[in-house]
Amino acid sequence: MPQPQNVTVQATQNSATFSWSSVPGAKSYYVELWQLDDQGNPKNPRFSWYTTATQVQFTQNAGIQLPPGNYRARVFAASVDLTQLGRPGQAAQLDPQFNISSAWSQQTVQVQSVGTLRVVPAPDTAPVLPPEPDAEGGLSQ
């Protein structure tokens, strides 16, 4: 499974939208929002989404509360429809053999306050990101 490409984020005062290019063969995507440590490394996963779309958005209106800090998204492309996992009895219908790949957003967003969500593009950092799994489940560099 090819890795997601062009994983980007656009931030406004109270929302952030993560988007990526469609991956050939992908039937769904799994997106994680990670809080970064002081060196820009992924520290805590905060939210995740299953989707068949090529973007996700979080807003204050969605009731999402994030502590202040910098965040980055990780997008997984899957050859099965992972959105079915949330439906009772559907997980057993998924093909037990599937391919998956992932990529990190290059940009980070910064949450500046709790309560009223304030999101801005974060200053560029040079994070050390974990290696990506390849289509066979091993790690690629």
Side-chain angles (χ1 to χ4, degrees):
M1 173 77 43
Q3 290 182 320
Q5 299 293 310
N6 305 313
V7 180
T8 60
V9 61
Q10 290 185 317
T12 65
Q13 185 169 340
N14 62 4
S15 72
T17 302
F18 295 93
S19 60
W20 54 94
S21 298
S22 179
V23 175
K27 292 186 179 174
S28 66
Y29 303 94
Y30 176 69
V31 183
E32 297 173 326
L33 182 63
W34 283 78
Q35 185 175 18
L36 306 178
D37 66 16
D38 292 339
Q39 288 75 44
N41 300 310
K43 176 175 75 168
N44 295 319
R46 291 294 178 172
F47 290 96
S48 59
W49 298 265
Y50 293 111
T51 183
T52 56
T54 56
Q55 76 173 27
V56 294
Q57 182 180 53
F58 71 88
T59 67
Q60 182 173 347
N61 293 339
I64 293 175
Q65 296 286 318
L66 296 171
N70 292 331
Y71 293 83
R72 175 168 272 145
R74 187 173 191 182
V75 177
F76 293 82
S79 63
V80 295
D81 185 357
L82 297 173
T83 62
Q84 294 183 26
L85 293 175
R87 300 180 193 146
Q90 292 299 306
Q93 304 300 317
L94 292 178
D95 187 338
Q97 294 188 3
F98 60 92
N99 292 318
I100 194 163
S101 64
S102 72
W104 289 91
S105 63
Q106 293 303 308
Q107 304 95 347
T108 59
V109 292
Q110 185 178 71
V111 173
Q112 294 185 329
S113 63
V114 178
T116 300
L117 184 63
R118 178 150 172 72
V119 181
V120 297
D124 285 337
T125 58
V128 177
L129 299 175
E132 302 295 337
D134 64 21
E136 286 77 42
L139 296 177
S140 62
Q141 295 299 330

